[in-house]
Every structure is written in C-alpha cells, then in structure tokens.
Amino acid sequence: MKAREWGVLLVLSGAIFLEGIDIAMLNIALPSIRDDLGLSTGSLQWVVSAYVLGYGGFMLLGGRAADLLGRRRVFLIALLVFLLFSGLGGLAENGATLIAARFVTGLAAAFMTPAGLSIITTGFEEGPKRDRALMIYGAIGAGGFTLGMVIGGLLTSLDWRWVFFMPVGLSLVLLIAAAVLIPRAPRPDRTGKRFDLLGGLTITAAVVLLVLGVERAAHVGPGWTVGAIAASLALIGAFVAVERRTASPLVRLGIFRSGSLVRANVVGMMFMAGFFGFQFLVVLYLQELRGWSTIEASLAMLIMGIDVALAPTLTPRLVRRFGNAPVLLAGLVFAALAFALFLTAGTGTSYWGMLPSLVSMGMAFTLAYGPLTIIATNGIDEEEQGLAGGLLYTSFQFGAAIGLAGVAAVNVAATASGADQDLLAGYRAAMLVPLAAAVVAVAVGAFNLRRRAEKAAAEPELVGVA
C-alpha cells in the first residue's frame, strides 16, 4: 500500500477503535458515575440504553446516508458530532444531560461507523489488498473492545469524566488527519434516486423499539417487553411493504439474497452477544464476588488485548493459507471455549486459573473479527457498501443488547441471596447465555464452511462442462 493509503487506513481504524473503547470504558465507569451524580439504578441504565438506541436505531440510516450523500462528508460530520457530545458527557452535572449526550453520541457513531467501513471497501480493490486493509481495520477495532475496559479502569481511577474527555482528544486528532488524508471523491450520482424518508422512519422506529424491548427486558414487566417487540415487528412489516413499492429503497431487499452476508450478520450478532455478556459477568465476578478493585479487574482483562498484536500479523497469514471461513470458524470455537472454561471459576480461583479463558477470548477476536467483516462486505456492489456496513454493525449492536439483557435476566433469576455461593451460582447460570450464543455462531459458521466446500467442489465440474 502507498503511504497515503496507509494514512487513510490508520485514520479509519482509529475511528472504529474510538467507537469500541467508548462503549467498553463507559461500562466500567458506571458505578463511579452513579455515586458522583447521585443516579438511581434505573437512571444509570439509561446512560447505557441511550447510546444503544442512538447507535443501533440509526445505523441503517447512517449507512445509506453515506452511500447517497458522500462517505467522506458523512464520516467527517459524524466524527465532529461525536467529539462535541463526548465532551458534553464529560461536563454533565446531572443524569438528564449525560443521557442526552450519550444518545447523540450513539447517533453520531451510527453514521460514522458504516461511512468509515465503506470508505475502505470502496477505496481498496476487492481481493488481497482489501482483505489486508480489513484485517488491520478489524484488529484495531477489536482492540478497542478488549482494551477499553483496561483504559476505562485506569481513567476512572483518576476521575470518571476522563472516560469522556479522552475520546474528545482522540477524535480531534482523527478529525484533522481525516480532513487531510481522506481524498475527496466525486459526489455520488443521485440521478433517479431520492432519500427514502418513509422507509427510514419505519425501520429506525422498528430497530429502536426492538433494541429497547430486548435491552430493557430485565428491568420492566413482561407485558411491556412483549408490547415493544410486537410493535417493532409490525413496523418491520410496514418497512418491507414500503421498500417493495418505492423506486429508491433505503434497503434493497435483494441484498439479503447474499447468503454470505446474511450468515455473517447472524454470526456477528451471536458473537457480540456472547462477548458483551461474558465481559459483563467477568467484571461482576471479579469486583462483586472476589472484591477486586476497578484497576485490578481492568488489568486482569488486559490479556484479551492480544488481538491488537496478533490480528494484523497472524490472521492474514492464516487467511491466505486456509481462507476466511475456516479462520472465522476457529475464532468462534475459541469464543465458545472461553465461555465454557469460565464456568469452572470458583470463589478461590487464582488469576492463572482464569487465564486460559481470557486468552481464548483474545484469540476469538484475533481470528473472527477481520474475516467476519470481509465476508459481510465481499461481493456487494460499491453503491451499497455503506448499507452492508450498516447492516453488520446493526447486528453487532443488537447482539450486544441481547447478550447484556440475557445475562442480566438470568443472573437475577438464578441468584437467591447475596451469599458468595449464591452469587457464584447466578454467574454460572448466566454464563450459559454467552455459551449458547457462541454455539449458535459456531453452527452458522460451520454451515458457511460447508457452502464454501460445496462451491469449491462444483468449480471443476463447471470447468469441465465449459
């Protein structure tokens, strides 16, 4: 790659790293935020929920906006909004201001993330060059998720507001570099195209209600949850009807004929459901049951960040040797192994006893994240790369909501009292949720591998017929 291409790739990778650490850092800062601002548990939950709704609800709209309005323009504007409202979150003196800031920050990420991914998938030609770029992009993005807990713990020990101010500094550096390095592209040809406002409103409302229903399931009655999900499904039906009739759909329904795209989105949803549920439970286990400090818990999880070093070095070699599908499947198996191993953790387990599980999780991200991104975007037309990125990251966010809601609900239901053994029983029961998600991901990944083998077997026959 040329020097300018490396610069563009590092800027865009920095943006996805920023998005990853922003989510992870906040999770570990929540107790400090609650104590300082005097928030109730319900209000504290909305600090997380507001970001999830903004991010998950507007991702498809953000991806399509990048395709229609220009990827560079959307990326720069969204990054600027992300910077401003991260700063507002750090300055917040009450829960309402913080919740509003988190919602807009999530909304900005919903436009920034698919725009950045589509700049890579359209700026690097499909094949080894793009695959290498996506491997590096995926490695740095995965590092944001795995290292965010460590960085967040260190910053929270100083003051929780640094969890918001640090992204401001990083965003400013990225914004300046992006404005200089990302080349201007001709305005997208919008002849005969228009923005599908009705489709955008219906799918955004549907995703917001669906994420809200799942994410809040552990905190409200079943009637409210069922109502929210039912309303969401009705809106999805309305969205499909709108898309079939409009000349310029927000989401061309034919894109779902790509089996690899659909399978990648299902795997991405289950993978993130498992990871976020696992991360949540490990923090609870270390801090509530074992009495570890925030910094100790953060440093304990530092080993999961091995993906930052291994994903851009080891994974590309494995992909060249075996292909994306087998390497992705290996990563999913490592995730399942990580969750199964942590089931054995007890009240006196040493750090060395936990280490195999944490290392396995790091290997899961090393092997899965990059190939998953490649599979989800390969073969998609250039004018729909933003949409493909939006679909993948919507799946990631929805998976995170499912994982967190699932483990929280099971943990509460399975914990009889505050005694150590009861807490441990609750964690172990809840850990079955990430494990189940990983098993589903492995099954879908194995099917993807089988389809690859069938295609390879058919190619000689086609050559013979020709």
Side-chain angles (χ1 to χ4, degrees):
M1 285 189 286
K2 300 176 182 177
R4 188 186 183 98
E5 290 176 326
W6 273 111
V8 171
L9 178 58
L10 291 176
V11 166
L12 298 175
S13 299
I16 194 63
F17 178 84
L18 172 68
E19 185 269 332
I21 62 168
D22 184 75
I23 297 172
M25 288 194 305
L26 178 64
N27 289 336
I28 205 161
L30 288 175
S32 297
I33 293 172
R34 177 177 56 194
D35 294 341
D36 192 31
L37 298 184
L39 301 181
S40 65
T41 301
S43 296
L44 189 68
Q45 184 63 35
W46 274 107
V47 175
V48 177
S49 299
Y51 184 92
V52 170
L53 292 178
Y55 192 10
F58 289 84
M59 185 70 73
L60 291 178
L61 206 60
R64 194 57 179 153
D67 290 333
L68 292 178
L69 303 178
R71 298 178 177 99
R72 181 181 184 273
R73 176 191 300 177
V74 170
F75 178 81
L76 292 176
I77 293 174
L79 182 55
L80 176 60
V81 174
F82 190 99
L83 182 159
L84 294 174
F85 281 85
S86 289
L88 178 61
L91 296 172
E93 295 295 337
N94 56 69
T97 302
L98 182 57
I99 290 167
R102 291 305 294 167
F103 176 78
V104 180
T105 305
L107 192 153
F111 283 76
M112 177 180 73
T113 303
L117 177 60
S118 62
I119 290 172
I120 293 177
T121 55
T122 57
F124 295 83
E125 62 186 52
E126 187 169 338
K129 189 174 184 179
R130 182 193 293 180
D131 289 354
R132 186 185 182 193
L134 287 174
M135 287 291 178
I136 295 170
Y137 177 82
I140 296 175
F145 288 114
T146 54
L147 294 179
M149 296 288 289
V150 180
I151 299 171
L154 296 174
L155 293 176
T156 301
S157 67
L158 300 175
D159 191 315
W160 65 264
R161 295 181 186 277
W162 283 106
V163 166
F164 296 94
F165 292 147
M166 192 277 275
V168 171
L170 180 56
S171 297
L172 182 59
V173 172
L174 292 174
L175 184 63
I176 295 171
V180 173
L181 292 172
I182 298 177
R184 296 180 182 273
R187 285 178 175 266
D189 183 8
R190 297 176 60 186
T191 305
K193 298 178 181 179
R194 59 183 179 83
F195 202 78
D196 180 15
L197 181 59
L198 182 57
L201 291 174
T202 52
I203 193 58
T204 297
V207 174
V208 165
L209 281 172
L210 189 59
V211 172
L212 184 62
V214 172
E215 202 274 337
R216 300 291 296 170
H219 308 280
V220 296
W224 193 97
T225 301
V226 171
I229 293 176
S232 172
L233 294 176
L235 283 168
I236 290 174
F239 170 73
V240 171
V242 168
E243 299 306 279
R244 284 177 172 171
R245 288 169 172 76
T246 185
S248 301
L250 177 70
V251 178
R252 184 180 62 84
L253 300 180
I255 198 171
F256 295 108
R257 295 195 186 103
S258 170
S260 61
L261 178 143
V262 172
R263 289 190 293 273
N265 277 268
V266 173
V267 168
M269 185 186 304
M270 293 295 102
F271 183 74
M272 286 300 176
F275 171 70
F276 275 90
F278 173 75
Q279 184 185 64
F280 176 77
L281 290 172
V282 171
V283 170
L284 285 182
Y285 167 80
L286 293 177
Q287 294 192 21
E288 289 189 354
L289 182 62
R290 304 300 299 276
W292 292 22
S293 68
T294 299
I295 294 181
E296 287 173 332
S298 300
L299 293 177
M301 301 175 75
L302 177 62
I303 189 64
M304 291 197 299
I306 58 173
D307 60 306
V308 175
L310 294 181
T313 54
L314 173 64
T315 307
R317 296 177 185 175
L318 294 175
V319 167
R320 284 195 296 271
R321 175 69 177 84
F322 300 104
N324 284 303
V327 175
L328 169 60
L329 181 59
L332 300 176
V333 171
F334 267 111
L337 178 64
F339 308 147
L341 287 173
F342 214 88
L343 282 170
T344 64
T347 56
T349 303
S350 69
Y351 178 67
W352 299 109
M354 306 174 208
L355 196 59
S357 174
L358 300 176
V359 170
S360 293
M361 194 67 245
M363 289 302 300
F365 261 106
T366 295
L367 300 176
Y369 199 95
L372 182 60
T373 306
I374 294 170
I375 292 171
T377 55
N378 269 358
I380 304 299
D381 292 340
E382 181 172 319
E383 61 268 21
E384 292 185 321
Q385 283 292 328
L387 172 60
L391 287 169
L392 179 62
Y393 283 99
T394 297
S395 296
F396 282 172
Q397 197 63 29
F398 187 56
I402 291 174
L404 288 170
V407 297
V410 173
N411 184 42
V412 170
T415 304
S417 71
D420 285 355
Q421 288 303 321
D422 287 337
L423 288 174
L424 182 60
Y427 301 148
R428 285 177 172 171
M431 190 62 73
L432 295 175
V433 175
L435 181 57
V439 169
V440 172
V442 168
V444 176
F447 182 80
N448 204 38
L449 187 61
R450 191 182 77 181
R451 294 288 296 174
R452 174 177 176 269
E454 290 174 352
K455 181 179 178 181
E459 284 176 353
E461 297 177 12
L462 294 175
V463 173
V465 170

